[in-house]
Amino acid sequence: MVQQSAAVPGSKPGNMYRYYILFVMMLTYMFNITDRMVMSILIEDIKADFVLTDTQIGLLAGTAFTLFYVLLGIPAGRLADRTNRKKMISIAVSLWSLMTALCGVATGFWTLFLARLGVGVGEAGGNPPAISILTNYFQSHELSRAMGIFSIGAVLGPVVGFVAGGLLAETYGWRWTFIILGLPGILLGLLIYLTVREPDRSQFAAGDKEKAETQEPFATTMASLWKNRVFTRVALANALAVTASYAFAIWLAPILIRNFEIPVSQVGIYLGLAWIIGGVPSMILGGYLTDWLATRNPKWRAWYCAIVVLLALPLLCLCLLTDNLVLALVLYALGYGVHTSTQGPAIAMMQASVSPTERGTASSIASLSATFLGYFIGPAVAGAMSDRLAPDYGTLSLNYAVIGITILSLTLAILAYLYAARAVPDTPPKAA
């Protein structure tokens, strides 16, 4: 049996409290991305201090973080399906925040690599239980908007990491930046432990309540998810789409610094504004729009994702080809905003397609897939491509490397979303 908290089975949470839970879970996602991405704004300082190549930077920014994230992702999701989720989130947030702070005392490549490994260990246990909890607070017909608001954390995280990180780095240096941005997450972990109530897992679940609370054996769960055509296809499409987002999140700051020779603090502010202007409204509007469209035909969630990724592709590529800083930022804000509006509907499709005791595992597999492509492979490949192209293209080598990854990943994502739409049933969901 799945362990339960003091929540009253079958009781429905108050509207204000469930939106408080949504806000707190969004904050965990924000800290998750902040601690993951702050290194991007610090790349040039760390590279100069430790005398590193772009390939080594790619390993630190992506591969080191994802090594244990990938190894622990599925066990963490499995744990989220059978244990107290709020306690799990509290511990995970505190752990990755502490490891982020320890990045500031690194003495070289390998000690920084180990600290980044620790960040990945903590973050592996963050999103699966958070997403699982939200599915017990929001019904199917409102899940896209809830996940859209939750995904605002993915926008605010880089904003905090880049704006605050850039200003702190210029004032106190990159080491204190890691420490100052890492420690507040420990307080968030305490807040979650004290104020979040573990919900009834069978809340809003269709069918037998006992079945909704009983976890199947691991092999049975994995076989079920593998046979789930909606989940597997959307997870693949989302991973491919997110690969381009991660490439920009990690490499755009150093690209702007190299191409336009502007200080790190200004880069942080510019990119922070681009993320807020482009990302926050698109996350909310994308969720509400696809919830509305899905009441007519659920396939619209997948069709919408394919259409907006197609629109984002040229915008993101063009922003790396212009020699005008303002135009580059405008194109990026537009492309980023359009692209990120897919997060709410993508998560909603995956969560709605699986049973209550598969949600944590499903979320971890989806996150693992996106992280493996976007962080484990993408940054290292882009860095290696940049080093290879540098003798011929100089400071533009990194631009071309990111463009190549973007074209490949987003083209495949469009095809994968269209393929996923074929598996989505065309019957509108019924409100619980």
Side-chain angles (χ1 to χ4, degrees):
M1 289 291 295
V2 175
Q3 296 179 22
Q4 293 292 334
S5 68
V8 179
S11 63
K12 293 189 178 181
N15 205 46
M16 184 175 294
Y17 182 73
R18 70 184 190 139
Y19 274 97
Y20 166 74
I21 297 297
L22 178 57
F23 175 73
V24 172
M25 293 302 105
M26 184 272 290
L27 285 182
T28 67
Y29 200 4
M30 184 190 79
F31 273 83
N32 181 305
I33 302 298
T34 295
D35 292 351
R36 184 186 308 187
M37 296 305 306
V38 66
M39 187 172 178
S40 181
I41 197 69
L42 307 175
I43 280 177
E44 294 300 288
D45 290 341
I46 296 172
K47 182 179 181 180
D49 199 0
F50 290 157
V51 192
L52 304 176
T53 65
D54 280 344
T55 301
Q56 289 176 304
I57 288 295
L59 291 172
L60 288 173
T63 307
F65 164 82
T66 58
L67 192 58
F68 276 105
Y69 189 100
V70 168
L71 291 175
L72 297 177
I74 293 179
R78 185 69 173 170
L79 186 62
D81 284 333
R82 65 183 305 148
T83 192
N84 187 292
R85 291 165 290 180
K86 77 96 175 259
K87 291 181 181 178
M88 183 176 173
I89 299 168
S90 177
I91 294 171
V93 173
S94 300
L95 176 59
W96 85 58
S97 299
L98 177 62
M99 297 308 298
T100 297
L102 290 178
C103 288
V105 297
T107 58
F109 173 82
W110 285 110
T111 50
L112 185 54
F113 189 91
L114 291 174
R116 290 286 290 174
L117 285 178
V119 176
V121 170
E123 293 196 5
N127 275 6
I131 292 174
S132 179
I133 279 180
L134 291 177
T135 59
N136 295 135
Y137 279 106
F138 292 88
Q139 300 181 61
S140 177
H141 68 278
E142 57 187 0
L143 200 53
S144 283
R145 71 193 74 170
M147 292 306 172
I149 294 172
F150 169 72
S151 296
I152 289 175
V155 177
L156 296 182
V159 171
V160 174
F162 276 62
V163 176
L167 294 172
L168 287 170
E170 194 166 273
T171 305
Y172 301 107
W174 66 267
R175 293 182 181 278
W176 276 105
T177 300
F178 275 123
I179 295 170
I180 294 171
L181 291 181
L183 293 179
I186 298 175
L187 297 178
L188 177 62
L190 180 62
L191 178 70
I192 292 169
Y193 182 80
L194 295 175
T195 66
V196 171
R197 295 198 301 267
E198 178 75 6
D200 180 358
R201 288 180 190 266
S202 64
Q203 185 81 286
F204 307 134
D208 182 68
K209 179 180 181 293
E210 181 72 17
K211 184 177 180 180
E213 294 183 359
T214 305
Q215 189 180 49
E216 297 288 350
F218 178 69
T220 302
T221 298
M222 294 300 292
S224 174
L225 292 174
W226 177 253
K227 294 176 183 176
N228 187 326
R229 295 187 302 160
V230 175
F231 171 73
T232 54
R233 295 180 188 185
V234 175
L236 174 61
N238 182 64
L240 290 166
V242 168
T243 297
S245 293
Y246 287 161
F248 273 86
I250 292 173
W251 292 113
L252 188 54
I255 283 174
L256 294 179
I257 292 171
R258 295 178 192 184
N259 293 173
F260 299 102
E261 298 181 352
I262 49 182
V264 65
S265 59
Q266 289 186 27
V267 172
I269 293 172
Y270 294 156
L271 290 180
L273 289 173
W275 280 319
I276 290 176
I277 294 171
V280 173
S282 71
M283 289 286 194
I284 297 173
L285 292 175
Y288 274 90
L289 177 58
T290 52
D291 272 344
W292 178 74
L293 290 170
T295 61
R296 286 142 181 83
N297 189 333
K299 292 180 183 291
W300 264 111
R301 282 184 172 136
W303 290 336
Y304 172 87
C305 290
I307 291 169
V308 297
V309 170
L310 177 62
L311 293 175
L313 177 54
L315 294 171
L316 292 174
C317 291
L318 288 172
C319 87
L320 296 178
L321 294 174
T322 179
D323 59 1
N324 183 291
L325 175 60
V326 174
L327 180 58
L329 291 170
V330 170
L331 289 170
Y332 176 65
L334 290 172
Y336 173 76
V338 171
H339 181 277
T340 55
S341 70
T342 64
Q343 288 303 290
I347 296 173
M349 279 189 287
M350 288 184 281
Q351 289 293 299
S353 71
V354 301
S355 69
T357 54
E358 292 176 343
R359 286 169 177 163
T361 305
S363 177
S364 68
I365 291 174
S367 295
L368 185 154
S369 302
T371 303
F372 182 77
L373 287 178
Y375 269 96
F376 190 78
I377 295 178
V381 170
M385 289 174 62
S386 176
D387 287 335
R388 187 177 183 86
L389 295 172
D392 295 323
Y393 298 100
T395 57
L396 291 176
S397 63
L398 192 52
N399 299 53
Y400 296 139
V402 174
I403 287 173
I405 289 175
T406 299
I407 292 174
L408 177 61
S409 64
L410 293 191
T411 299
L412 292 175
I414 293 166
L415 297 175
Y417 273 123
L418 292 175
Y419 186 51
R422 297 174 59 184
V424 176
D426 55 11
T427 303
K430 296 180 179 179

